[in-house]
Amino acid sequence: MTPVDPMEQVRAIFREEGKELLANLDEGVLKLERAGAGGRGEIVEEMMRAAHNLKGAAGSIGLKATADLAHALESVLQENQALAGKEAFDVLHQSID
């Protein structure tokens, strides 16, 4: 029997969780585009949580670039007023893709 690499198991878990978190972020951007200015708070909070979780998970397995990008996304989301225009939504979509 071949020994199981524990880090490969962790990376596999990250890939699955990462896909889910990215899907949540992508869906959040779409919701933000449709929401009025007053309905964005809860959506932004959900997206910040997903970005934060992605940042932590990526950092824990040494994916610094992914963790840094997730941190930058988290920072943009904290600046709620920056989410008003089409350009902001385009940047969010690109960062998630």
Side-chain angles (χ1 to χ4, degrees):
M1 184 178 347
T2 307
V4 178
D5 178 9
M7 275 310 291
E8 183 51 41
Q9 289 179 318
V10 171
R11 286 189 288 272
I13 292 168
F14 171 78
R15 283 190 291 273
E16 290 303 312
E17 288 181 2
K19 286 177 190 177
E20 185 177 321
L21 292 167
L22 289 171
N24 291 345
L25 287 165
D26 196 41
E27 184 177 329
V29 172
L30 296 174
K31 287 179 181 179
L32 282 174
E33 287 178 309
R34 293 187 293 248
R40 292 184 174 159
E42 186 176 319
I43 298 166
V44 169
E45 286 180 25
E46 289 173 8
M47 292 177 69
M48 284 177 53
R49 224 176 352 268
H52 181 79
N53 290 342
L54 182 62
K55 175 182 73 175
S60 72
I61 62 168
L63 297 175
K64 184 174 176 359
T66 302
D68 290 347
L69 183 59
H71 178 72
L73 178 57
E74 188 179 19
S75 295
V76 167
L77 291 167
Q78 287 175 345
E79 298 295 326
N80 198 354
Q81 60 272 38
L83 301 174
K86 181 186 179 323
E87 288 179 10
F89 293 119
D90 290 344
V91 169
L92 287 172
H93 277 297
Q94 289 172 359
S95 68
I96 292 167
D97 288 340

